[in-house]
Amino acid sequence: MFVMTADQKGSRRRGDAVPGLLTAVSAWAEEWGDPFVLPVQRTVGDEVQGVLADPAAVVSLALLLQRLGGWSVGIGAGPVTEPLASSAPASAGEAFVLARDAVERARGRAVSVPLAVAGAEPRAAEEAEALLQLLAAVVRRRTAAGWEVVDLMARVGTQREAANRLGISAQAVSQRLDTALWHEETRLHPLAARLLRTAEVAA
């Protein structure tokens, strides 16, 4: 199982960003067909937590939070105490402890981006963290023009249709996608998911 804990950065300066995050996550979950075992909700203060079983959804959600910005994200991959409680904050198990360790590390300056992974299999978790940090760095540097095309591609599926919707050439769409490193990013999602799955079970 995968527990994701996210802690808002600089909440005293920015105000409470949890409602905005929950709205964004709700829209994302609809697109994914509600992948949560237990939905993301506020734990205490400016922290949220949710539980997922699908590592591909974990990758997607982690990158969504990095796109939103202002969040330290910790992913715990491991067993949970079953049956789970009615909410993530009320539940327990190794994955929750690992998520706590990960988000604490994500808050620090030792990580290149505010995202960390801790798992029952530490080596796989370390590799998953390195790859997710690389993907997060790509996401965090993507321009508004890049996101416009990336988001449209997710809806329409083809560069030709995206070009028609935007009123630009297919070549211009291709150039934006190349600059956004969209192909490279999406091709690495399955590898990140496999590493998370491996991290879930102790060797």
Side-chain angles (χ1 to χ4, degrees):
M1 206 72 75
F2 303 96
V3 177
M4 185 177 296
T5 302
D7 182 57
Q8 184 182 349
K9 300 170 64 178
S11 57
R12 291 184 180 179
R13 299 190 308 274
R14 297 173 57 211
D16 185 6
V18 170
L21 178 143
L22 294 179
T23 298
V25 170
S26 178
W28 170 87
E30 287 186 13
E31 295 179 1
W32 269 83
D34 191 14
F36 289 108
V37 177
L38 292 173
V40 170
Q41 65 181 84
R42 191 190 298 266
T43 56
V44 62
D46 51 10
E47 182 183 273
V48 299
Q49 188 175 69
V51 181
L52 305 97
D54 180 359
V58 174
V59 172
S60 179
L61 180 57
L63 294 179
L64 170 66
L65 297 188
Q66 291 300 309
R67 176 182 179 177
L68 292 175
W71 295 91
S72 299
V73 178
I75 300 168
V80 297
T81 301
E82 297 190 86
L84 288 164
S86 59
S87 69
S91 300
E94 183 180 356
F96 289 90
V97 176
L98 290 167
R100 172 59 51 201
D101 292 343
V103 77
E104 290 292 342
R105 193 153 45 82
R107 290 191 187 111
R109 297 182 178 180
V111 295
S112 55
V113 297
L115 190 159
V117 179
E121 208 298 294
R123 181 166 183 175
E126 182 179 353
E127 293 173 348
E129 176 179 297
L131 183 52
L132 283 171
Q133 286 182 349
L134 176 62
L135 294 174
V138 170
V139 165
R140 289 162 65 90
R141 287 167 172 77
R142 189 168 288 159
T143 65
W147 277 118
E148 182 180 39
V149 174
V150 168
D151 290 339
L152 193 53
M153 284 293 295
R155 297 196 300 272
V156 303
T158 68
Q159 294 185 32
R160 184 178 298 279
E161 182 60 26
N164 289 337
R165 297 284 186 95
L166 292 173
I168 60 178
S169 68
Q171 183 180 13
V173 168
S174 180
Q175 289 173 344
R176 286 200 202 180
L177 291 174
D178 288 346
T179 301
L181 297 175
W182 177 69
H183 298 286
E184 293 79 2
E185 180 219 326
T186 54
R187 287 176 64 187
L188 286 172
H189 283 208
L191 175 57
R194 286 198 299 274
L195 288 170
L196 285 173
R197 180 65 78 194
T198 303
E200 188 183 11
V201 181

